[in-house]
Each structure stands twice: as C-alpha cells, then as structure tokens.
Amino acid sequence: MLQLDFLDDLRRMNMRQLFYQLLNFAMIVSSALMIWKGLMVVTGSESPIVVVLSMEPAFQRGDLLFLTNYEQEPIRAGEIVVFKVEGRDIPIVHRVMKVHEKEDGSVKFLTKGDNNNVDDRGLYANGQAWLNRKDVVGRARGYVPFIGIVTIIMNDYPKFKYAVLAGLGLFVLVHRE
Amino acid sequence: MSKKSMEENPPKVNKWDGNALKNALDDAVKDVLLTQFSYVESHKLLDGRLIISSVAVGFSIFALVWDWLYPFPQSRTVMCVCVVSYFVMMGVLTWYTTCLERGIFCTALNKDAAGIDPDDVWNASSSLKRFDNKYHLRLTQRMGKSGKGKEAHTTLTVENFFDETGRLLYGAVAKEVLRLHSDVENKKN
C-alpha cells in the first residue's frame, strides 16, 4: 500500500525543475524570515512579537504581544515592558514599578509581574538591583489573545514542532505548482 | 535513472486534481513537440525564473548570516537593505511570471540544418481554470528569418485525454498536437 505515489511527480522532473522545487521551498522560508526581519527594523525591537507567560489579569498565558522599541520614548512607571536579563534568553513581560532618571537621560527601573507578590529583584542577575535601557526588548503596543498557545505547545513538545515543520517542508518540496 | 519514453509509459495522475491534469497535459505536449519533430528545447525562460529566485533567496540567506554575526541593533541598515531587496525581487518575479512567461511551458527551437539562419522559435502555452475541464492550448511559431509570428490555439476537454484510472492517453494528445502544429505551419501570414 505504501507505494510512495506522491514522489512520482518528483521522479519525472529534470534537474532544472527539481532545483525550482527547492527554490520554491527556500522562497517560502525566506518570505517568513524577511517579514520577521522587516518587523524588527520597523519596530526597532530585536523581538517584536513575544508570547506572554505570566501577567494575569492584564494578559493571559498565550497572548501574543506586539512591541516597539524606539529610543526617544521614555520608560514610565505603570507601563508594560519586555526585558531580558543578561545571560538569559527568555524575555520577561512585566510592569515598571519605579523609575530613576538622570539628567543625561539614563534610566534605572524596577519591574514586577502583576501576578507576583514581590518585585523582580529575584529574577535579575546576581547583584543587579535595577534594569537599564539596554535590557529592554520593547514596550507593549498591542496584543492578539490566545494565538501564542501554539508557540507554547511547540516549545513544550519539540517533537511536535519538528513533525509539523518536516511535514510542511515535505509537502512544499514534493508538490508541483 | 532510466526513463521510459512517455509514449510507452504515460503518467498516471489523480484525475480529480486539476493542477496535476494540467501538468500532465503540458508534459505530454512538450514530449510530442520534442520527440516527433527534431526540435531542441530552450531553457531560457525557466532559467530566468531560477536566477531571479536564487538572487532573492541569496539576499535572505545573507540577511540571516549577517544578523547572526552582528546582532540586531548594529545590523539595522543591512537588514533594511536586504528586506527591501528581497521584496523587490519578489516583485520582479511576479512581473516575470505574469508578463514574460504567460503560461508558456515549453520553448522549442527549430534549428536550421545548415546552421546559418537563425532558429524558428515555437512556444507552447496553456491554461486550465480551477474546477474547469477546458484545457486551452496555444502554439505559436516565430520565424527566425523573417521575424514574423503565426499562432493557433485549441480547447481540449480534459476527460477525453485520461482514462478512468487517471492514466494519460498519450496517443490522443499527440494527435491534437500534430494537428495544431500543421495548422500553424499551413497558415498564410
């Protein structure tokens, strides 16, 4: 039964057509990549879309946040920012509690998650008591509820992620336009 | 990879998949043109598409590598250039497919025996609308010497060229193509 009929199309192709199938696949991946990089440039943030993990009741787990990171905009208490602690990869989405600003524009600020009882000093690097401007990935501008659950599932079950990506990739490679 | 000729081993496709039917018919027409006459296939059209796509993917790979080597804020200008160039290339590709290619799936050259005169260029193009069963085939001949062009087209009902299992009826296609070919050749300009 497993006759691999779907590969027939590929078998009948010459070198040029096979190369075009590969390019087709590459172009789809590239389009996604270029849109992401384009968003990075436009918003000024290195990670313009993040998935929220712990900010109830403002955001539920799995919400998708859109960020901007313009240099001119000041950070103010009460705003929701996304920051990265030095040495760690995961961006954290919390609210700014206190801000100290010097005349030259440099800032130090303290954050706390709405759903946490204590401020984030426990999360910062050893000996660090305040965050700087450079730790900020961006400020929340808008959000789409719930869609991020897919990303959370894919990260919790990496095999699922690879299976989906492999399946999609295979489909594009084999399917003739 | 030994390939049986299409005449001996016609392809079998999913008869409900319009795209597969069109591709099978295109392949058959191309096969007839290249084997029944002593034409040589010209790959220029497809090569153009390959080059444009490769350049676009090249920009994307370059952006990927550059951003990995020089993390974001520094790579800003390069990113900007790459992203814009990529989408410009996509635009070029779309223009190329819509205006230049226009459904042409085969270009065959009738080379002059003596090798002196320029070749005649035969172009075969086709279209099959979604959920439709009418396959429109158009054959054009542009004389190398005079530059003049002649064309003829025909509309085939798809069901007549595949059997119940979805296997292509090569003979029927060949008959149509030969008929169309002599139609074009015999037309007075």
Side-chain angles (χ1 to χ4, degrees):
Chain A
M1 277 294 270
L2 193 70
Q3 273 169 332
L4 299 178
D5 276 339
F6 65 96
L7 287 180
D8 272 348
D9 263 345
L10 279 186
R11 279 192 212 118
R12 278 183 272 135
M13 285 186 197
N14 58 30
M15 285 310 302
R16 278 190 171 75
Q17 287 171 313
L18 281 174
F19 185 49
Y20 184 66
Q21 289 298 110
L22 219 66
L23 274 181
N24 225 0
F25 173 72
M27 281 200 289
I28 293 182
V29 173
S30 300
S31 293
L33 186 72
M34 288 291 103
I35 291 179
W36 176 255
K37 300 273 178 235
L39 271 180
M40 269 171 52
V41 169
V42 162
T43 62
S45 159
E46 68 169 41
S47 181
I49 303 181
V50 281
V51 181
V52 172
L53 294 175
S54 70
M55 261 294 277
E56 293 174 11
F59 297 122
Q60 307 302 317
R61 184 164 186 256
D63 289 349
L64 220 61
L65 277 187
F66 297 106
L67 312 176
T68 62
N69 196 21
Y70 302 128
E71 288 288 324
Q72 312 92 303
E73 287 169 348
I75 309 230
R76 292 278 169 259
E79 282 175 354
I80 299 179
V81 295
V82 180
F83 61 90
K84 270 198 197 165
V85 177
E86 235 166 297
R88 281 186 227 151
D89 264 337
I90 309 177
I92 306 174
V93 186
H94 281 166
R95 198 180 294 274
V96 175
M97 291 284 123
K98 294 188 188 167
V99 179
H100 285 296
E101 197 174 325
K102 283 201 203 156
E103 269 164 4
D104 62 9
S106 61
V107 280
K108 287 203 277 199
F109 55 97
L110 178 63
T111 60
K112 173 180 163 308
D114 285 353
N115 214 18
N116 298 343
N117 286 333
V118 293
D119 60 39
D120 288 342
R121 286 214 167 97
L123 289 173
Y124 299 164
N126 252 344
Q128 184 185 13
W130 301 90
L131 287 175
N132 298 318
R133 188 73 180 72
K134 66 172 175 49
D135 297 316
V136 170
V137 172
R139 292 160 63 223
R141 286 300 188 194
Y143 83 111
V144 181
F146 213 57
I147 295 194
I149 291 274
V150 179
T151 315
I152 295 182
I153 294 180
M154 300 249 257
N155 279 327
D156 283 347
Y157 304 104
K159 290 206 183 114
F160 176 67
K161 173 163 76 176
Y162 297 137
V164 168
L165 289 178
L168 283 176
L170 206 62
F171 176 74
V172 172
L173 275 173
V174 167
H175 184 71
R176 195 171 159 187
E177 253 187 27
Chain B
M1 202 164 57
S2 66
K3 272 188 170 153
K4 278 203 203 143
S5 88
M6 202 187 248
E7 191 165 5
E8 297 162 21
N9 190 22
K12 187 164 150 195
V13 296
N14 175 7
K15 61 183 176 179
W16 301 114
D17 178 3
N19 201 29
L21 291 177
K22 177 182 183 292
N23 283 332
L25 283 172
D26 285 351
D27 286 346
V29 170
K30 180 153 81 162
D31 191 79
V32 171
L33 276 179
L34 297 177
T35 53
Q36 304 286 347
F37 311 96
S38 56
Y39 294 163
V40 171
E41 188 176 5
S42 158
H43 295 114
K44 267 182 23 190
L45 220 47
L46 188 59
D47 281 352
R49 209 206 261 204
L50 290 181
I51 291 178
I52 297 177
S53 308
S54 303
V55 170
V57 171
F59 273 118
S60 147
I61 294 181
F62 182 74
L64 186 67
V65 169
W66 189 275
D67 188 54
W68 187 67
L69 290 175
Y70 305 101
F72 176 53
Q74 299 150 285
S75 58
R76 199 152 184 257
T77 22
V78 175
M79 282 302 110
C80 225
V81 167
C82 283
V83 171
V84 169
S85 312
Y86 179 78
F87 286 112
V88 163
M89 291 313 297
M90 287 287 110
V92 170
L93 186 64
T94 315
W95 166 80
Y96 188 85
T97 334
T98 343
C99 294
L100 239 56
E101 273 198 4
R102 284 155 134 256
I104 297 178
F105 58 86
C106 172
T107 308
L109 303 173
N110 186 6
K111 291 203 170 294
D112 183 38
I116 306 175
D117 292 328
D119 314 317
D120 292 344
V121 180
W122 289 85
N123 275 320
S125 60
S126 71
S127 67
L128 174 67
K129 289 211 186 84
R130 256 190 104 148
F131 307 128
D132 196 5
N133 64 348
K134 301 270 177 292
Y135 174 78
H136 303 273
L137 179 62
R138 192 161 154 265
L139 202 57
T140 66
Q141 176 194 29
R142 204 177 70 243
M143 313 288 261
K145 275 199 287 199
S146 55
K148 294 216 180 104
K150 291 190 277 183
E151 71 126 68
H153 58 261
T154 177
T155 305
L156 310 175
T157 315
V158 184
E159 299 94 81
N160 299 337
F161 298 88
F162 292 91
D163 67 17
E164 303 91 52
T165 64
R167 196 164 282 279
L168 178 79
L169 301 171
Y170 186 83
V173 179
K175 204 171 83 170
E176 290 295 331
V177 175
L178 293 174
R179 190 171 62 86
L180 202 63
H181 184 269
S182 46
D183 275 353
V184 174
E185 275 202 320
N186 297 335
K187 266 194 185 170
K188 299 228 185 291
N189 226 350

